[in-house]
Amino acid sequence: MYDEKFIIPGLVIFVGIFTFPLWVQMGKAAPVPEPKIDTPVIQAMAEKKCVQSKLYMRTDHMQMLNDWRDEVVREAKRQFVSPEGKEYDKSLQLTCMNCHSNKKDFCDKCHNYAGVAPYCWDCHIQPQEPQAPKETM
Amino acid sequence: MGVNRREFLKLAGCSALFGLGGASAFEILRPGALDASAEAPHHGEAAAPAPQGKQLGMVVDVRKCMAQKDGCTACIQACHVTHNVPSIPNLKEEVKWIWKTPYEQAFPEQYHEFVDDQLKAGQFPILCNHCADPPCVRVCPTKATFKRPEDGIVMMDMHRCIGCRFCMAGCPYGARSFNWRDPRTYFVGKEDQMNKDYPTRTMGVVEKCTFCPERLAKGQLPACVEACQKLGEKGNALVFGDLNDPDSEIRQVLRTNKTLRRKAELGTKPSVFFIV
């Protein structure tokens, strides 16, 4: 092989630079988020139940919120009946965030982990978290 | 491999025949399928025998508004606080759901130079007319604004609005406002004045009066009407109800008073009436 003294070190350097993001992050996987549900409203509930099962909410809450929004705005169907037969107002700001008043420890935890930036709170007002600003600053 | 001249001419001839014949074949098999629609979507409504469902509307008794010498703004205040409508100093970027305008601008076709001085000086509270045949709905390319079949409210779906402002061009009443900036920037430092039960809007969407469907669903009156009624005797300038129900209070008021509608000659069938 001609010029092997250039080619082989060059290849080694190339592979090294190319795989840089892999080995520099090795063993530093972001911890799996654990969204907290220790808000005052949830603590006060006798039976800690969401509008749907935990598994359904974990995988399908975004679809459900989309459906809610269309049904409320376009079809004026404002009531949701849970599988247990309990009635709820279809409202992110008034129903969801009433219990889950800890957006930073609940919504944001998974959204940041999954790298998604939903624009819900561009318009919908999130509950005030008195201790939160100091934590993040 | 190659196509000789004879084959090429055959192929080209056949393709040309198909191309010329294709359109007429469509016309024979599915007549009209290739035509662009020239008809307005609500064209048939004018000829409809009787109005179906509800059509919510409002009567504004401007005489009562003008009797308040202090320039009452109770309805505007109530609406804008309820819906987190920011007060924007730059009038070109103003957002308004219900606002006041002089007679000349509210009723340009009624105005003349000899009009009563009191009318001339008066300020008229105006809002979205929730037209029975709304031009804004017809021009919206995403159906973000639509007429609710159950009560005739011209509603906004903020999630679907792309901010093209066709509706603002289509509305002859200037009832729609565009969010040139994030409205929250006008609430910085005034967060406690926000209504936490209602969202704000975001930059790049169009907004307007919605007749408060979220309040109607709870059996309440629109925020402006409620605020006006709270004024008691000197208030009660706003009457709200179903125009298609002959026994409703609003129909009673319309029967016993001479009323005006804004630019009714445009054929939008406004649902807001004024007693002047």
Side-chain angles (χ1 to χ4, degrees), chain B:
Chain B
M1 256 310 265
V3 182
N4 63 30
R5 182 151 69 155
R6 197 182 166 78
E7 277 168 4
F8 171 76
L9 286 174
K10 268 193 209 163
L11 202 66
C14 286
S15 311
L17 270 180
F18 177 76
L20 290 173
S24 32
F26 247 103
E27 272 306 308
I28 293 161
L29 296 172
R30 292 192 60 193
L34 292 182
D35 293 344
S37 171
E39 219 172 307
H42 297 292
H43 199 76
E45 214 175 58
Q52 298 291 310
K54 274 185 173 182
Q55 171 61 59
L56 294 177
M58 193 185 280
V59 173
V60 184
D61 192 342
V62 188
R63 296 171 305 185
K64 286 183 183 167
C65 299
M66 291 207 284
Q68 308 241 35
K69 296 294 175 208
D70 53 346
C72 172
T73 53
C75 52
I76 301 172
Q77 293 286 335
C79 172
H80 287 189
V81 166
T82 307
H83 301 111
N84 293 325
V85 178
S87 49
I88 299 173
N90 181 356
L91 288 186
K92 283 185 177 171
E93 298 179 2
E94 198 181 20
V95 174
K96 46 201 202 291
W97 288 31
I98 173 168
W99 71 103
K100 283 190 170 180
T101 202
Y103 184 69
E104 184 183 356
Q105 281 173 29
F107 302 99
E109 73 288 346
Q110 300 282 337
Y111 182 81
H112 51 81
E113 62 268 46
F114 311 113
V115 97
D116 175 43
D117 280 345
Q118 208 196 339
L119 277 185
K120 225 182 226 177
Q123 291 283 318
F124 287 65
I126 53 174
L127 65 158
C128 169
N129 283 297
H130 295 273
C131 307
D133 197 355
C136 54
V137 168
R138 193 183 292 177
V139 296
C140 180
T142 60
K143 292 190 178 167
T145 190
F146 57 99
K147 196 152 177 66
R148 298 213 309 180
E150 58 271 20
D151 51 17
I153 288 179
V154 176
M155 184 69 173
M156 271 302 298
D157 186 343
M158 296 299 175
H159 293 99
R160 222 187 253 203
C161 178
I162 56 170
C164 70
R165 297 187 283 140
F166 277 23
C167 56
M168 293 175 70
C171 175
Y173 308 103
R176 293 173 161 271
S177 308
F178 185 67
N179 282 282
W180 291 96
R181 286 162 213 279
D182 182 0
R184 293 231 179 138
T185 54
Y186 299 101
F187 286 105
V188 172
K190 293 187 261 177
E191 281 85 358
D192 51 319
Q193 291 173 23
M194 285 169 103
N195 176 14
K196 300 285 187 295
D197 294 342
Y198 199 82
T200 63
R201 266 67 58 199
T202 182
M203 185 169 73
V205 296
V206 172
E207 62 184 86
K208 67 168 197 80
C209 156
T210 58
F211 269 173
C212 299
E214 78 285 351
R215 293 173 58 88
L216 298 177
K218 286 188 273 179
Q220 296 168 314
L221 283 166
C224 55
V225 182
E226 194 186 85
C228 192
Q229 288 184 352
K230 269 193 193 150
L231 294 176
E233 262 311 290
K234 45 183 194 159
N236 283 334
L238 304 178
V239 181
F240 181 79
D242 180 11
L243 293 171
N244 288 347
D245 172 11
D247 303 323
S248 61
E249 185 195 356
I250 187 166
R251 284 289 291 275
Q252 206 58 45
V253 173
L254 287 173
R255 231 172 260 138
T256 50
N257 289 281
K258 190 173 173 336
T259 49
L260 280 178
R261 288 196 285 184
R262 296 186 64 208
K263 302 182 189 173
E265 73 279 7
L266 297 176
T268 60
K269 298 179 202 153
S271 306
V272 177
F273 299 77
F274 295 85
I275 307 173
V276 299

Side-chain angles (χ1 to χ4, degrees), chain A residues 69-70 72-78 89 91 93-94 119-128, chain B residues 84 143 146 148 150 155-157 159-160 184 194-202 213-214 217:
Chain A
R69 150 253 266 185
D70 284 347
V72 167
V73 176
R74 305 196 78 88
E75 296 161 34
K77 292 179 186 153
R78 291 177 175 266
D89 279 341
S91 171
Q93 194 172 321
L94 301 181
Y119 52 72
C120 310
W121 299 280
D122 286 4
C123 295
H124 294 280
I125 300 170
Q126 64 192 76
Q128 276 183 332
Chain B
N84 293 325
K143 292 190 178 167
F146 57 99
R148 298 213 309 180
E150 58 271 20
M155 184 69 173
M156 271 302 298
D157 186 343
H159 293 99
R160 222 187 253 203
R184 293 231 179 138
M194 285 169 103
N195 176 14
K196 300 285 187 295
D197 294 342
Y198 199 82
T200 63
R201 266 67 58 199
T202 182
E214 78 285 351

